[in-house]
Amino acid sequence: MKQASKPDITPIISLGGLTPEVFLRDYWQKKPLLIRGAIPDFQGLLTPEALQKLSYQDDAESRLVTRKDGHWKLKHGPFAPRDFSKLHQQNWSLLVQDINHFLPSARNLLSRFRFIPHARLDDLMVSFAPEGGGIGPHFDSYDVFLLQGLGSRRWQISAQRDDEFIPNLPLRILKNFKPEQEWILNAGDMLYLPPHYAHNGIALDDCMTYSIGFRAPSHQELITQFLVYLQDNLKADGRYTDPDLKAQIHPAEISSEMHEQVNTILKKISWNQQNIEDFLGCYLSEPKPHVFFDQPDELLDSATFLHKSEESGIELNLKTRILASTGKIFINGEICKVDPIAYLELINLANNYELAPSDLSSHTRNILYKWYASGYLTLKKNSS
Ligand code: SIN
Ligand code: CO
């Protein structure tokens, strides 16, 4: 039987001499960690101009934060060149989410953090700010690694409990930020912050920061989405009946018998372990609302696709989200139940975002062709 190669989850990034186990035990979700030279000689992945161009695209989520004479403004993209032409007299910062949807090198950067499960990973956000720019003191609800690219940034952080925001601003800026520690980060340095840790980053020159962000849905979000899932997946027989109906003094009044019967009916709402697995896989692999997949421009027929894939291998579309659990593969919000051999092959694809020709078997042919036709994966480009 074909064996999936054991995934290598060694971080391809320095954690300041810590093993992933020690980092996760002592820092993850607990306390900040400054790592000098996390990626020595990190040159960044794109220029400020390329970031700006990405912000013109309507499939990129971008924000422009400006501050003039103490007045903060927030504008959402897509932007046009004229949005950047009048910024010289103010502090500003451009932030673009999901850079991993556009640059293979950005997905490779995220792969360096594979010691944290994919289900927790959100995206790579990149910001640019000229000297003095920043988005003000704030905290995030998520864990984040802030990796410095171009230039340098002063980071100030605080464990303060005071989370009062300045009222009536378009972004949430802490009213009473009291920095407790600060450092200047240069290219390749990285700061890990757990959720709700107050921070403020000020660009010291033309500065690009790479935020590796994680997702942790709120309980409200999980419950709401699970109820949506149940709505689509729950089948209930029967209909309201009242063969013993009595006339009422107030015909407009809902009777206690009716309440009781509805209460009994609602107790039919139930779920099992499989529902939880299916819901979570679909929910976590669901593309963000602005993400769409197109069929390949020139759709190959199945035999040609398979023949070519045996030569070049395949790779996932940068926008594809793929997760696996208990014999099921979840891809872009869809569930795919597969046999154990196919599961090993496809989990390998999910772990590594690609499969070499030698990793492909006949078990997954139909599935891979269907995903290719849906735009979820392509033939690997850089091999002949
Ligand atoms: C930035 O890159 O300017 C801000 C990142 C953050 O504070 O999370
Ligand atoms: Co932040």
Side-chain angles (χ1 to χ4, degrees):
M1 184 168 122
K2 196 176 165 71
Q3 293 290 316
S5 46
K6 193 166 180 293
D8 179 9
I9 56 158
T10 319
I12 318 169
I13 194 152
S14 157
L15 294 171
L18 303 177
T19 60
E21 291 73 22
V22 171
F23 170 79
L24 292 172
R25 189 193 65 201
D26 295 347
Y27 292 90
W28 177 252
Q29 298 238 303
K30 299 167 198 78
K31 58 184 179 187
L33 177 67
L34 173 72
I35 304 157
R36 293 279 178 205
I39 304 184
D41 305 322
F42 181 59
Q43 302 287 320
L45 306 180
L46 74 174
T47 61
E49 294 74 26
L51 186 73
Q52 189 172 317
K53 276 200 180 138
L54 265 181
S55 79
Y56 304 161
Q57 291 187 203
D58 50 15
D59 59 347
E61 228 183 303
S62 49
R63 287 169 292 160
L64 188 56
V65 176
T66 54
R67 180 166 52 101
K68 193 174 181 190
D69 305 328
H71 294 292
W72 291 90
K73 280 194 190 153
L74 169 69
K75 218 175 148 188
H76 290 274
F79 296 109
R82 67 172 178 281
D83 291 307
F84 296 90
S85 59
K86 294 183 223 117
L87 292 173
H88 45 277
Q89 284 170 341
Q90 49 195 320
N91 285 321
W92 61 278
S93 190
L94 170 68
L95 305 106
V96 185
Q97 300 288 151
D98 295 313
I99 295 294
N100 48 303
H101 288 183
F102 303 98
L103 303 183
S105 56
R107 182 163 72 185
N108 293 343
L109 177 61
L110 291 182
S111 293
R112 290 173 177 263
F113 294 82
R114 49 192 293 136
F115 60 101
I116 300 169
H118 289 186
R120 289 287 269 112
L121 190 61
D122 188 359
D123 73 333
L124 176 70
M125 179 185 85
V126 180
S127 70
F128 170 79
E131 185 184 347
I135 58 171
H138 65 282
F139 61 77
D140 301 307
S141 312
Y142 311 101
D143 307 82
V144 67
F145 289 94
L146 298 157
L147 172 67
Q148 189 59 32
L150 178 77
S152 17
R153 190 184 279 275
R154 170 176 288 115
W155 280 107
Q156 303 174 309
I157 65 168
S158 170
Q160 68 186 64
R161 288 291 158 102
D162 179 348
D163 58 1
E164 195 183 336
F165 295 112
I166 303 175
N168 308 320
L169 286 188
L171 57 173
R172 304 196 320 163
I173 295 183
L174 287 168
K175 192 170 169 193
N176 310 304
F177 179 57
K178 298 202 176 66
E180 294 165 349
Q181 283 177 285
E182 68 170 59
W183 306 275
I184 292 172
L185 269 69
N186 298 306
D189 294 342
M190 188 166 77
L191 176 61
Y192 163 73
L193 291 177
H196 289 277
Y197 214 96
H199 54 288
N200 184 32
I202 304 153
L204 299 183
D205 43 23
D206 278 1
C207 162
M208 293 181 87
T209 299
Y210 292 69
S211 297
I212 294 91
F214 295 85
R215 65 191 300 202
S218 68
H219 293 186
Q220 180 66 46
E221 161 81 2
L222 272 176
I223 290 169
T224 305
Q225 293 304 322
F226 185 59
L227 290 174
V228 172
Y229 163 86
L230 278 185
Q231 179 178 313
D232 295 339
N233 288 276
L234 198 77
K235 297 266 176 299
D237 300 328
R239 184 175 293 280
Y240 187 84
T241 57
D242 50 3
D244 303 325
L245 184 67
K246 306 272 181 318
Q248 300 180 179
I249 298 169
H250 300 295
E253 198 166 58
I254 299 171
S255 66
S256 58
E257 287 78 11
M258 201 168 197
H259 287 141
E260 269 167 40
Q261 189 178 156
V262 171
N263 189 24
T264 307
I265 294 167
L266 292 182
K267 287 187 180 150
K268 288 186 173 185
I269 302 173
S270 67
W271 56 88
N272 55 31
Q273 178 66 20
Q274 190 175 316
N275 293 130
I276 293 173
E277 288 169 12
D278 291 358
F279 155 69
L280 199 56
C282 291
Y283 166 72
L284 290 174
S285 66
E286 185 71 36
K288 294 184 183 177
H290 61 281
V291 172
F292 298 97
F293 292 89
D294 297 320
Q295 273 212 344
D297 290 338
E298 284 171 37
L299 183 68
L300 303 174
D301 63 57
S302 134
T304 313
F305 169 75
L306 292 167
H307 176 69
K308 289 191 179 239
S309 66
E310 279 158 14
E311 283 175 352
S312 65
I314 53 162
E315 62 187 352
L316 293 173
N317 182 321
L318 289 173
K319 294 180 179 173
T320 284
R321 280 183 190 250
I322 182 168
L323 295 164
S325 116
T326 55
K328 283 165 261 177
I329 304 291
F330 302 93
I331 184 162
N332 297 324
E334 294 168 16
I335 182 168
C336 186
K337 296 187 182 162
V338 292
D339 67 54
I341 301 177
Y343 185 72
L344 290 180
E345 185 176 325
L346 295 173
I347 204 167
N348 199 2
L349 172 67
N351 285 336
N352 300 310
Y353 310 129
E354 61 178 39
L355 284 178
S358 57
D359 294 327
L360 292 162
S361 78
S362 56
H363 275 85
T364 55
R365 272 188 183 158
N366 295 339
I367 301 169
L368 293 180
Y369 182 70
K370 185 172 154 249
W371 290 350
Y372 156 73
S374 303
Y376 296 172
L377 55 82
T378 55
L379 294 168
K380 200 157 160 42
K381 288 184 194 73
N382 53 0
S383 38
S384 55

